[in-house]
PDB file of all heavy atoms in Angstrom:
ATOM      1  N   LEU A 254      95.290 129.271  86.422  1.00  0.00           N
ATOM      2  CA  LEU A 254      94.609 128.170  87.069  1.00  0.00           C
ATOM      3  C   LEU A 254      94.873 128.141  88.584  1.00  0.00           C
ATOM      4  O   LEU A 254      94.036 127.607  89.328  1.00  0.00           O
ATOM      5  CB  LEU A 254      95.074 126.843  86.452  1.00  0.00           C
ATOM      6  CG  LEU A 254      94.430 126.510  85.103  1.00  0.00           C
ATOM      7  CD1 LEU A 254      95.147 125.357  84.426  1.00  0.00           C
ATOM      8  CD2 LEU A 254      92.959 126.158  85.300  1.00  0.00           C
ATOM      9  N   GLU A 263      85.878 133.901  88.672  1.00  0.00           N
ATOM     10  CA  GLU A 263      86.041 134.709  87.466  1.00  0.00           C
ATOM     11  C   GLU A 263      87.086 135.813  87.738  1.00  0.00           C
ATOM     12  O   GLU A 263      87.173 136.321  88.845  1.00  0.00           O
ATOM     13  CB  GLU A 263      84.720 135.409  87.078  1.00  0.00           C
ATOM     14  CG  GLU A 263      83.649 134.453  86.627  1.00  0.00           C
ATOM     15  CD  GLU A 263      83.850 133.944  85.202  1.00  0.00           C
ATOM     16  OE1 GLU A 263      84.740 134.463  84.485  1.00  0.00           O
ATOM     17  OE2 GLU A 263      83.121 133.022  84.808  1.00  0.00           O
ATOM     18  N   HIS A 264      87.866 136.119  86.719  1.00  0.00           N
ATOM     19  CA  HIS A 264      88.802 137.251  86.815  1.00  0.00           C
ATOM     20  C   HIS A 264      88.246 138.406  85.989  1.00  0.00           C
ATOM     21  O   HIS A 264      87.642 138.172  84.931  1.00  0.00           O
ATOM     22  CB  HIS A 264      90.161 136.855  86.237  1.00  0.00           C
ATOM     23  CG  HIS A 264      90.857 135.803  87.015  1.00  0.00           C
ATOM     24  ND1 HIS A 264      90.497 134.466  86.934  1.00  0.00           N
ATOM     25  CD2 HIS A 264      91.877 135.864  87.895  1.00  0.00           C
ATOM     26  CE1 HIS A 264      91.269 133.753  87.738  1.00  0.00           C
ATOM     27  NE2 HIS A 264      92.119 134.555  88.359  1.00  0.00           N
ATOM     28  N   ARG A 295      70.856 114.752  91.067  1.00  0.00           N
ATOM     29  CA  ARG A 295      71.422 113.611  91.766  1.00  0.00           C
ATOM     30  C   ARG A 295      70.462 113.178  92.879  1.00  0.00           C
ATOM     31  O   ARG A 295      70.203 111.982  93.064  1.00  0.00           O
ATOM     32  CB  ARG A 295      72.782 113.970  92.323  1.00  0.00           C
ATOM     33  CG  ARG A 295      73.232 112.977  93.356  1.00  0.00           C
ATOM     34  CD  ARG A 295      74.574 113.284  94.047  1.00  0.00           C
ATOM     35  NE  ARG A 295      75.102 114.626  94.020  1.00  0.00           N
ATOM     36  CZ  ARG A 295      74.809 115.542  94.911  1.00  0.00           C
ATOM     37  NH1 ARG A 295      73.931 115.307  95.857  1.00  0.00           N
ATOM     38  NH2 ARG A 295      75.356 116.741  94.844  1.00  0.00           N
ATOM     39  N   GLU A 337      75.779 122.524  79.155  1.00  0.00           N
ATOM     40  CA  GLU A 337      77.065 121.778  79.106  1.00  0.00           C
ATOM     41  C   GLU A 337      78.171 122.614  78.540  1.00  0.00           C
ATOM     42  O   GLU A 337      79.328 122.501  79.003  1.00  0.00           O
ATOM     43  CB  GLU A 337      76.803 120.560  78.225  1.00  0.00           C
ATOM     44  CG  GLU A 337      77.579 119.314  78.610  1.00  0.00           C
ATOM     45  CD  GLU A 337      76.906 118.129  77.921  1.00  0.00           C
ATOM     46  OE1 GLU A 337      76.929 118.074  76.688  1.00  0.00           O
ATOM     47  OE2 GLU A 337      76.386 117.282  78.641  1.00  0.00           O
ATOM     48  N   LEU A 340      80.967 124.441  80.509  1.00  0.00           N
ATOM     49  CA  LEU A 340      82.047 123.697  81.139  1.00  0.00           C
ATOM     50  C   LEU A 340      83.326 123.703  80.305  1.00  0.00           C
ATOM     51  O   LEU A 340      84.384 123.328  80.816  1.00  0.00           O
ATOM     52  CB  LEU A 340      81.596 122.262  81.387  1.00  0.00           C
ATOM     53  CG  LEU A 340      80.439 122.080  82.331  1.00  0.00           C
ATOM     54  CD1 LEU A 340      79.958 120.636  82.337  1.00  0.00           C
ATOM     55  CD2 LEU A 340      80.789 122.526  83.751  1.00  0.00           C
ATOM     56  N   VAL A 341      83.225 124.120  79.046  1.00  0.00           N
ATOM     57  CA  VAL A 341      84.404 124.110  78.225  1.00  0.00           C
ATOM     58  C   VAL A 341      85.429 125.203  78.679  1.00  0.00           C
ATOM     59  O   VAL A 341      86.599 125.109  78.436  1.00  0.00           O
ATOM     60  CB  VAL A 341      84.040 124.293  76.711  1.00  0.00           C
ATOM     61  CG1 VAL A 341      85.256 124.467  75.851  1.00  0.00           C
ATOM     62  CG2 VAL A 341      83.256 123.066  76.271  1.00  0.00           C
ATOM     63  N   ASP A 343      87.733 126.718  81.421  1.00  0.00           N
ATOM     64  CA  ASP A 343      88.389 126.113  82.598  1.00  0.00           C
ATOM     65  C   ASP A 343      87.842 126.630  83.913  1.00  0.00           C
ATOM     66  O   ASP A 343      87.708 125.893  84.878  1.00  0.00           O
ATOM     67  CB  ASP A 343      89.899 126.321  82.518  1.00  0.00           C
ATOM     68  CG  ASP A 343      90.543 125.448  81.461  1.00  0.00           C
ATOM     69  OD1 ASP A 343      89.915 124.426  81.081  1.00  0.00           O
ATOM     70  OD2 ASP A 343      91.640 125.769  80.997  1.00  0.00           O
ATOM     71  N   ILE A 350      83.455 121.750  89.731  1.00  0.00           N
ATOM     72  CA  ILE A 350      83.931 120.579  90.464  1.00  0.00           C
ATOM     73  C   ILE A 350      84.159 120.932  91.932  1.00  0.00           C
ATOM     74  O   ILE A 350      83.878 120.165  92.814  1.00  0.00           O
ATOM     75  CB  ILE A 350      85.232 120.017  89.829  1.00  0.00           C
ATOM     76  CG1 ILE A 350      84.921 119.411  88.449  1.00  0.00           C
ATOM     77  CG2 ILE A 350      85.881 118.980  90.716  1.00  0.00           C
ATOM     78  CD1 ILE A 350      86.144 118.983  87.665  1.00  0.00           C
ATOM     79  N   GLY A 354      78.994 117.921  95.139  1.00  0.00           N
ATOM     80  CA  GLY A 354      78.530 117.229  96.338  1.00  0.00           C
ATOM     81  C   GLY A 354      77.630 118.033  97.252  1.00  0.00           C
ATOM     82  O   GLY A 354      77.327 117.611  98.352  1.00  0.00           O
ATOM     83  N   ARG A 371      72.016 133.680  79.141  1.00  0.00           N
ATOM     84  CA  ARG A 371      73.377 134.139  79.268  1.00  0.00           C
ATOM     85  C   ARG A 371      73.606 135.297  78.336  1.00  0.00           C
ATOM     86  O   ARG A 371      73.212 135.275  77.225  1.00  0.00           O
ATOM     87  CB  ARG A 371      74.366 133.062  78.934  1.00  0.00           C
ATOM     88  CG  ARG A 371      74.327 131.930  79.928  1.00  0.00           C
ATOM     89  CD  ARG A 371      75.210 130.786  79.439  1.00  0.00           C
ATOM     90  NE  ARG A 371      76.603 131.200  79.355  1.00  0.00           N
ATOM     91  CZ  ARG A 371      77.403 131.260  80.393  1.00  0.00           C
ATOM     92  NH1 ARG A 371      76.972 130.946  81.575  1.00  0.00           N
ATOM     93  NH2 ARG A 371      78.654 131.631  80.258  1.00  0.00           N
TER      94      ARG A 371
ATOM     95  N   MET B 194      83.578 136.670  78.471  1.00  0.00           N
ATOM     96  CA  MET B 194      83.915 135.590  79.416  1.00  0.00           C
ATOM     97  C   MET B 194      85.452 135.570  79.694  1.00  0.00           C
ATOM     98  O   MET B 194      86.226 135.589  78.732  1.00  0.00           O
ATOM     99  CB  MET B 194      83.468 134.241  78.838  1.00  0.00           C
ATOM    100  CG  MET B 194      83.965 133.072  79.672  1.00  0.00           C
ATOM    101  SD  MET B 194      83.065 131.569  79.370  1.00  0.00           S
ATOM    102  CE  MET B 194      81.405 132.007  79.743  1.00  0.00           C
ATOM    103  N   THR B 195      85.828 135.552  80.904  1.00  0.00           N
ATOM    104  CA  THR B 195      87.262 135.452  81.225  1.00  0.00           C
ATOM    105  C   THR B 195      87.664 134.008  81.165  1.00  0.00           C
ATOM    106  O   THR B 195      87.647 133.294  82.140  1.00  0.00           O
ATOM    107  CB  THR B 195      87.547 136.054  82.596  1.00  0.00           C
ATOM    108  OG1 THR B 195      86.608 135.489  83.500  1.00  0.00           O
ATOM    109  CG2 THR B 195      87.445 137.536  82.600  1.00  0.00           C
ATOM    110  N   VAL B 197      90.102 131.109  80.881  1.00  0.00           N
ATOM    111  CA  VAL B 197      91.484 130.852  81.152  1.00  0.00           C
ATOM    112  C   VAL B 197      91.930 129.644  80.348  1.00  0.00           C
ATOM    113  O   VAL B 197      92.137 128.540  80.879  1.00  0.00           O
ATOM    114  CB  VAL B 197      91.696 130.561  82.656  1.00  0.00           C
ATOM    115  CG1 VAL B 197      93.207 130.503  82.929  1.00  0.00           C
ATOM    116  CG2 VAL B 197      91.067 131.666  83.462  1.00  0.00           C
ATOM    117  N   GLY B 198      92.004 129.795  79.061  1.00  0.00           N
ATOM    118  CA  GLY B 198      92.429 128.666  78.221  1.00  0.00           C
ATOM    119  C   GLY B 198      91.357 127.631  78.104  1.00  0.00           C
ATOM    120  O   GLY B 198      90.843 127.178  79.124  1.00  0.00           O
ATOM    121  N   LEU B 312      89.203 116.124  94.290  1.00  0.00           N
ATOM    122  CA  LEU B 312      88.536 116.184  93.005  1.00  0.00           C
ATOM    123  C   LEU B 312      88.793 117.538  92.320  1.00  0.00           C
ATOM    124  O   LEU B 312      88.950 117.602  91.084  1.00  0.00           O
ATOM    125  CB  LEU B 312      87.020 115.966  93.165  1.00  0.00           C
ATOM    126  CG  LEU B 312      86.633 114.637  93.776  1.00  0.00           C
ATOM    127  CD1 LEU B 312      85.141 114.482  93.762  1.00  0.00           C
ATOM    128  CD2 LEU B 312      87.279 113.469  93.054  1.00  0.00           C
ATOM    129  N   LYS B 321      94.659 121.433  82.825  1.00  0.00           N
ATOM    130  CA  LYS B 321      96.037 121.621  82.366  1.00  0.00           C
ATOM    131  C   LYS B 321      96.381 120.614  81.289  1.00  0.00           C
ATOM    132  O   LYS B 321      97.105 120.927  80.309  1.00  0.00           O
ATOM    133  CB  LYS B 321      97.012 121.477  83.529  1.00  0.00           C
ATOM    134  CG  LYS B 321      97.002 122.637  84.503  1.00  0.00           C
ATOM    135  CD  LYS B 321      98.054 122.395  85.604  1.00  0.00           C
ATOM    136  CE  LYS B 321      98.089 123.544  86.579  1.00  0.00           C
ATOM    137  NZ  LYS B 321      98.960 123.205  87.732  1.00  0.00           N
ATOM    138  N   GLN B 324      94.998 121.653  78.062  1.00  0.00           N
ATOM    139  CA  GLN B 324      95.806 122.709  77.489  1.00  0.00           C
ATOM    140  C   GLN B 324      97.073 122.171  76.863  1.00  0.00           C
ATOM    141  O   GLN B 324      97.489 122.564  75.771  1.00  0.00           O
ATOM    142  CB  GLN B 324      96.212 123.742  78.578  1.00  0.00           C
ATOM    143  CG  GLN B 324      95.094 124.695  78.992  1.00  0.00           C
ATOM    144  CD  GLN B 324      95.546 125.654  80.056  1.00  0.00           C
ATOM    145  OE1 GLN B 324      96.728 125.800  80.349  1.00  0.00           O
ATOM    146  NE2 GLN B 324      94.578 126.334  80.662  1.00  0.00           N
ATOM    147  N   ARG B 351      78.028 111.464  96.578  1.00  0.00           N
ATOM    148  CA  ARG B 351      77.554 112.775  96.128  1.00  0.00           C
ATOM    149  C   ARG B 351      78.602 113.512  95.336  1.00  0.00           C
ATOM    150  O   ARG B 351      78.332 114.030  94.220  1.00  0.00           O
ATOM    151  CB  ARG B 351      77.158 113.623  97.338  1.00  0.00           C
ATOM    152  CG  ARG B 351      75.853 113.150  97.942  1.00  0.00           C
ATOM    153  CD  ARG B 351      75.087 114.184  98.725  1.00  0.00           C
ATOM    154  NE  ARG B 351      75.808 115.198  99.382  1.00  0.00           N
ATOM    155  CZ  ARG B 351      75.536 115.650 100.618  1.00  0.00           C
ATOM    156  NH1 ARG B 351      74.584 115.101 101.308  1.00  0.00           N
ATOM    157  NH2 ARG B 351      76.229 116.635 101.141  1.00  0.00           N
ATOM    158  N   ASP B 355      78.700 114.070  91.032  1.00  0.00           N
ATOM    159  CA  ASP B 355      78.789 115.423  90.430  1.00  0.00           C
ATOM    160  C   ASP B 355      80.081 115.551  89.562  1.00  0.00           C
ATOM    161  O   ASP B 355      80.047 116.104  88.471  1.00  0.00           O
ATOM    162  CB  ASP B 355      78.797 116.506  91.515  1.00  0.00           C
ATOM    163  CG  ASP B 355      77.390 116.649  92.152  1.00  0.00           C
ATOM    164  OD1 ASP B 355      76.532 115.832  91.870  1.00  0.00           O
ATOM    165  OD2 ASP B 355      77.254 117.557  92.995  1.00  0.00           O
ATOM    166  N   GLY B 362      80.351 116.005  81.158  1.00  0.00           N
ATOM    167  CA  GLY B 362      79.732 117.132  80.465  1.00  0.00           C
ATOM    168  C   GLY B 362      80.731 117.892  79.607  1.00  0.00           C
ATOM    169  O   GLY B 362      80.439 118.284  78.476  1.00  0.00           O
ATOM    170  N   ARG B 363      81.906 118.135  80.170  1.00  0.00           N
ATOM    171  CA  ARG B 363      82.921 118.857  79.375  1.00  0.00           C
ATOM    172  C   ARG B 363      83.392 117.982  78.208  1.00  0.00           C
ATOM    173  O   ARG B 363      83.562 118.476  77.083  1.00  0.00           O
ATOM    174  CB  ARG B 363      84.111 119.207  80.269  1.00  0.00           C
ATOM    175  CG  ARG B 363      85.241 119.816  79.443  1.00  0.00           C
ATOM    176  CD  ARG B 363      86.082 120.740  80.195  1.00  0.00           C
ATOM    177  NE  ARG B 363      87.120 121.289  79.324  1.00  0.00           N
ATOM    178  CZ  ARG B 363      87.942 122.264  79.668  1.00  0.00           C
ATOM    179  NH1 ARG B 363      87.846 122.776  80.862  1.00  0.00           N
ATOM    180  NH2 ARG B 363      88.862 122.690  78.857  1.00  0.00           N
TER     181      ARG B 363
END
Side-chain angles (χ1 to χ4, degrees):
Chain A
L254 281 168
E263 293 284 350
H264 295 76
R295 165 184 20 87
E337 213 161 65
L340 298 172
V341 173
D343 287 339
I350 292 174
R371 294 172 64 82
Chain B
M194 172 162 302
T195 48
V197 189
L312 301 185
K321 287 182 180 172
Q324 283 180 13
R351 287 205 330 222
D355 290 5
R363 174 152 181 173

